[in-house]
């Protein structure tokens, strides 16, 4: 009974499965027909559009009524094709360039081994790209680079490059290629000398003594050619604001014979130096030197000054040779009987400064008087040949005209006047010498010779004893 039941169930299941397959096949067939119908409909529509467009083109292109319009459209199309690249550039970033001149050139090489020459200190560059990138590159700290690493001694042509400008710009360098020379360095010792710098920034009342150095010889490293051009190595001692003894590290610089700096490595490049600073000074009288003549036959009666002495500052070797300081007065400018005049003090050579730079003079004039002084003895100076001489007609004196106010000339005698002959160019024989007279100090009185020359018979014999001294009188013949 159960077997029959099972067989009946199996038959029912088979019939259900066959019925399902049949239904699925029917649905597929129906869907396929729909797809085919849709495709056919689209194809028919597309063909109708193509046939319509083709007919429209035929009616338009071959219709005489539209031929002008067609020609215009075709011409515009051809123009657009030809100029497409030009107008397309309107929609791309514009190229922008800027120049940068005097860019430092940095060399990469072994500075301890080689000396470099021929490389320019600067180069000019042109930076191109979009505006933003170019402006950023201009404001950057980019440099021009000469990469010499790996090169040996000798002359080389190298290409300059750049660093620090970024990758968004292109750069043109001028010059782009340079010829450089590498020379091997050697070492040579030089004696050390010195120069004072910034002396104008040190108070002029101070004087500096001889510096004392930590060492007196230095090593200089450079090529043989450069070393041979070095004449001296100097320590540059800065005197700015120094008021007493000081010690500093002075920079060392090599110079050639013309005084131009030489590019060389000095080891070490500074030296410790101690410099004594003093303020030597001396107080000396002020002397008025009068030039010219007072107008209207007048003479200077008196000159009084608000300062009679001046303190001068300078090296002791200079001060020791100075016994006065001069102030000049041009008498031809005096037009009033009494004048107050402000005059600068003229410092002797080698004097750095003084405690006063000018003084005030009170000048009083009076009527000028002329008087002749006779029997003024003629003296002899610079008898470097130690000659004997004789005077024609035994003439040993002359006359001198003196001019000044009555009060200033009344006490002058022949013994106060020095007239002399300068014999430094004397040779044996009869010759004439110019007569010269020493003007009195103060400028209140002037001396004028009545004779311009003096004849003297110079003998070839040489004087001995006291008469051989320079400036000694020669015996009358």
């Amino acid at each position: 009974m159960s077997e029959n039941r099972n067989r009946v169930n199996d038959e029912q299941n088979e019939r259900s499965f066959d019925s399902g397959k049949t239904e699925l096949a029917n649905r597929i067939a129906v869907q396929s027909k729909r797809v085919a119908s849709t495709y056919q409909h689209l194809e028919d529509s597309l063909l109708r559009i193509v046939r319509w467009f083709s007919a429209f083109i035929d009616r338009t292109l071959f219709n005489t009524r539209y031929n002008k319009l067609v020609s215009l459209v075709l011409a515009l199309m051809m123009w657009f094709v030809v100029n497409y690249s030009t107008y397309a550039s309107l929609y791309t970033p514009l190229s922008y360039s800027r120049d940068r001149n005097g860019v430092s050139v940095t060399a990469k090489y072994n500075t301890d081994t080689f000396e470099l020459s021929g490389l320019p200190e600067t180069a000019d560059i042109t930076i191109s790209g979009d505006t933003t990138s170019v402006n950023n590159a201009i404001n950057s700290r980019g440099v021009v680079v000469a990469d010499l690493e790996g090169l040996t001694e000798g002359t080389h042509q190298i290409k300059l490059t750049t660093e620090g400008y970024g990758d968004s710009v292109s750069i043109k360098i001028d010059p782009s290629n340079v010829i450089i020379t590498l020379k091997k360095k050697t070492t040579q010792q030089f004696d050390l000398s010195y120069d004072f710098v910034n002396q104008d920034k040190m108070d002029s009342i101070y004087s500096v003594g001889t510096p004392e150095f930590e060492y007196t010889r230095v090593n200089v490293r450079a090529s043989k050619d450069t070393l041979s051009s070095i004449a001296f190595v100097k320590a540059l001692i800065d005197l700015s604001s120094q008021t007493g003894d000081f010690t500093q590290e002075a920079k060392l610089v090599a110079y050639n014979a013309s005084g131009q700096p030489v590019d060389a490595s000095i080891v070490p490049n500074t030296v410790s130096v101690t410099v004594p600073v003093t303020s030597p000074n001396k107080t000396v009288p002020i002397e008025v030197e009068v030039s010219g003549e007072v107008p209207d036959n007048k003479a200077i009666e008196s000159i009084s000054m608000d300062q009679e002495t001046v303190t001068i500052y300078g090296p002791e070797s200079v001060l020791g040779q100075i016994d006065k300081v001069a102030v000049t007065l041009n008498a031809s400018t005096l037009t009033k009987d009494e004048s107050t005049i402000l005059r600068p003090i003229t410092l002797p050579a080698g004097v750095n400064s003084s405690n006063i730079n000018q003084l005030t003079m009170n000048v009083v004039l009076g009527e000028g008087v002329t008087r002749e002084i006779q029997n003024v003895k003629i003296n002899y100076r610079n008898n470097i040949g130690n000659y004997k001489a004789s005077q024609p007609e035994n003439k040993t004196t002359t006359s001198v005209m003196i001019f000044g106010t009555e009060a200033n000339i009344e006490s002058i005698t022949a013994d106060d006047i020095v007239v002399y002959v300068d014999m430094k160019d004397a040779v044996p024989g009869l010759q004439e010498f110019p007569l010269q007279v020493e003007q009195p100090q103060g400028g209140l009185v002037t001396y004028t010779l009545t004779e311009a020359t003096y004849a003297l018979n110079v003998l070839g014999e040489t004087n001995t004893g006291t008469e051989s001294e320079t400036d000694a009188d020669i015996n009358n013949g």
Side-chain angles (χ1 to χ4, degrees):
M1 178 71 66
S2 60
E3 290 180 357
N4 291 332
R5 189 180 298 112
N6 291 335
R7 187 166 53 252
V8 171
N9 291 333
D10 289 339
E11 288 177 356
Q12 288 178 350
N13 290 334
E14 287 179 0
R15 284 195 298 269
S16 296
F17 179 72
D18 290 340
S19 175
K21 290 195 294 182
T22 301
E23 184 179 356
L24 177 61
N26 290 334
R27 285 200 303 268
I28 292 173
V30 172
Q31 187 67 31
S32 296
K33 288 181 180 180
R34 289 178 180 173
V35 170
S37 177
T38 301
Y39 176 76
Q40 184 65 44
H41 180 73
L42 290 175
E43 183 178 3
D44 291 342
S45 298
L46 181 61
L47 288 174
R48 284 196 299 269
I49 292 173
V50 169
R51 284 195 297 269
W52 177 86
F53 184 74
S54 177
F56 174 78
I57 293 298
D58 290 342
R59 288 194 304 270
T60 302
L61 292 179
F62 301 105
N63 191 328
T64 56
R65 197 166 67 179
Y66 301 114
N67 57 357
K68 293 183 180 179
L69 178 62
V70 170
S71 299
L72 177 61
V73 171
L74 293 176
L76 290 173
M77 292 176 63
M78 293 180 64
W79 179 86
F80 179 78
V81 170
V82 171
N83 295 278
Y84 172 77
S85 59
T86 301
Y87 279 86
S89 64
L90 295 175
Y91 301 95
T92 61
L94 294 176
S95 179
Y96 177 61
S97 298
R98 284 186 65 180
D99 295 330
R100 187 176 180 183
N101 300 326
V103 181
S104 298
V105 178
T106 301
K108 294 182 177 180
Y109 70 106
N110 190 334
T111 56
D112 293 332
T113 303
F114 294 108
E115 177 184 282
L116 172 63
S117 62
L119 184 70
E121 294 183 0
T122 61
D124 299 333
I125 63 173
T126 300
I127 305 175
S128 301
D130 63 84
T131 303
T132 301
S133 298
V134 170
N135 288 335
N136 290 337
I138 282 290
N139 296 324
S140 68
R141 296 183 179 181
V143 294
V144 177
V145 177
D147 191 352
L148 312 181
E149 294 180 352
L151 297 182
T152 59
E153 184 178 20
T155 300
H156 309 272
Q157 181 173 335
I158 62 167
K159 183 177 180 64
L160 298 180
T161 59
T162 58
E163 290 183 359
Y165 291 102
D167 299 329
S168 58
V169 294
S170 61
I171 299 179
K172 180 182 178 182
I173 307 173
D174 182 25
S176 58
N177 295 280
V178 294
I179 296 176
I180 58 93
T181 300
L182 292 174
K183 296 180 181 179
K184 283 190 175 181
K185 290 183 176 181
T186 59
T187 302
Q188 182 177 331
Q189 281 197 333
F190 287 85
D191 290 327
L192 192 60
S193 57
Y194 64 90
D195 265 344
F196 294 121
V197 297
N198 292 325
Q199 286 184 277
D200 58 332
K201 297 180 180 179
M202 180 182 188
D203 196 314
S204 57
I205 69 172
Y206 297 105
S207 294
V208 293
T210 302
E212 295 183 4
F213 293 97
E214 180 182 5
Y215 44 83
T216 58
R217 291 179 66 82
V218 293
N219 292 324
V220 180
R221 187 166 175 78
S223 68
K224 291 182 179 179
D225 292 340
T226 299
L227 290 175
S228 64
S229 70
I230 296 176
F232 40 81
V233 177
K234 289 188 175 183
L236 303 183
I237 303 173
D238 188 0
L239 299 182
S240 299
S241 304
Q242 300 295 345
T243 59
D245 298 354
F246 66 93
T247 299
Q248 69 177 216
E249 290 292 322
K251 180 182 178 182
L252 301 181
V253 180
Y255 296 90
N256 60 22
S258 300
Q260 299 299 316
V262 176
D263 187 11
S265 299
I266 304 175
V267 184
N269 60 0
T270 61
V271 61
S272 178
V273 57
T274 300
V275 183
V277 177
T278 58
S279 183
N281 61 83
K282 183 179 182 179
T283 301
V284 294
I286 300 173
E287 180 179 295
V288 178
E289 293 182 349
V290 179
S291 62
E293 297 181 358
V294 181
D296 301 326
N297 198 41
K298 290 192 175 183
I300 299 175
E301 177 75 27
S302 64
I303 300 175
S304 59
M305 300 177 291
D306 63 342
Q307 299 286 338
E308 298 292 335
T309 62
V310 58
T311 300
I312 55 178
Y313 298 85
E316 292 182 356
S317 58
V318 174
L319 297 180
Q321 302 176 15
I322 300 173
D323 56 8
K324 63 181 179 181
V325 168
V327 175
T328 59
L329 173 64
N330 186 356
S332 63
T333 63
L334 301 175
T335 57
K336 298 180 181 179
D337 289 345
E338 185 171 353
S339 304
T340 300
I341 301 171
L342 190 66
R343 294 296 300 157
I345 295 176
T346 303
L347 296 180
V351 174
N352 297 332
S353 63
S354 60
N355 65 328
I356 56 174
N357 298 320
Q358 58 188 9
L359 58 78
T360 301
M361 294 183 291
N362 186 54
V363 182
V364 178
L365 302 182
E367 292 298 326
V369 178
T370 301
R371 184 158 60 91
E372 182 178 2
I373 303 294
Q374 298 180 343
N375 300 318
V376 178
K377 185 179 179 180
I378 299 175
N379 300 290
Y380 306 91
R381 292 183 175 178
N382 298 322
N383 184 17
I384 57 178
N386 294 327
Y387 294 119
K388 287 184 177 181
S390 62
Q391 297 82 15
E393 302 177 356
N394 292 326
K395 179 177 174 58
T396 60
T397 62
T398 186
S399 297
V400 175
M401 304 299 296
I402 62 174
F403 176 80
T405 63
E406 182 66 34
N408 289 328
I409 69 172
E410 62 180 356
S411 61
I412 297 176
T413 66
D415 293 335
D416 298 320
I417 303 173
V418 178
V419 177
Y420 64 94
V421 170
D422 191 341
M423 295 186 63
K424 67 177 181 178
D425 297 324
V427 294
L430 180 62
Q431 58 190 114
E432 288 191 345
F433 294 88
L435 274 179
Q436 302 183 54
V437 61
E438 284 187 357
Q439 295 294 334
Q441 294 183 355
L444 303 182
V445 178
T446 58
Y447 298 155
T448 305
L449 292 166
T450 58
E451 298 176 280
T453 61
Y454 180 61
L456 189 65
N457 186 21
V458 179
L459 305 179
E461 302 177 14
T462 302
N463 251 337
T464 58
T466 58
E467 295 173 353
S468 65
E469 295 178 3
T470 302
D471 294 344
D473 291 347
I474 297 179
N475 288 340
N476 296 330

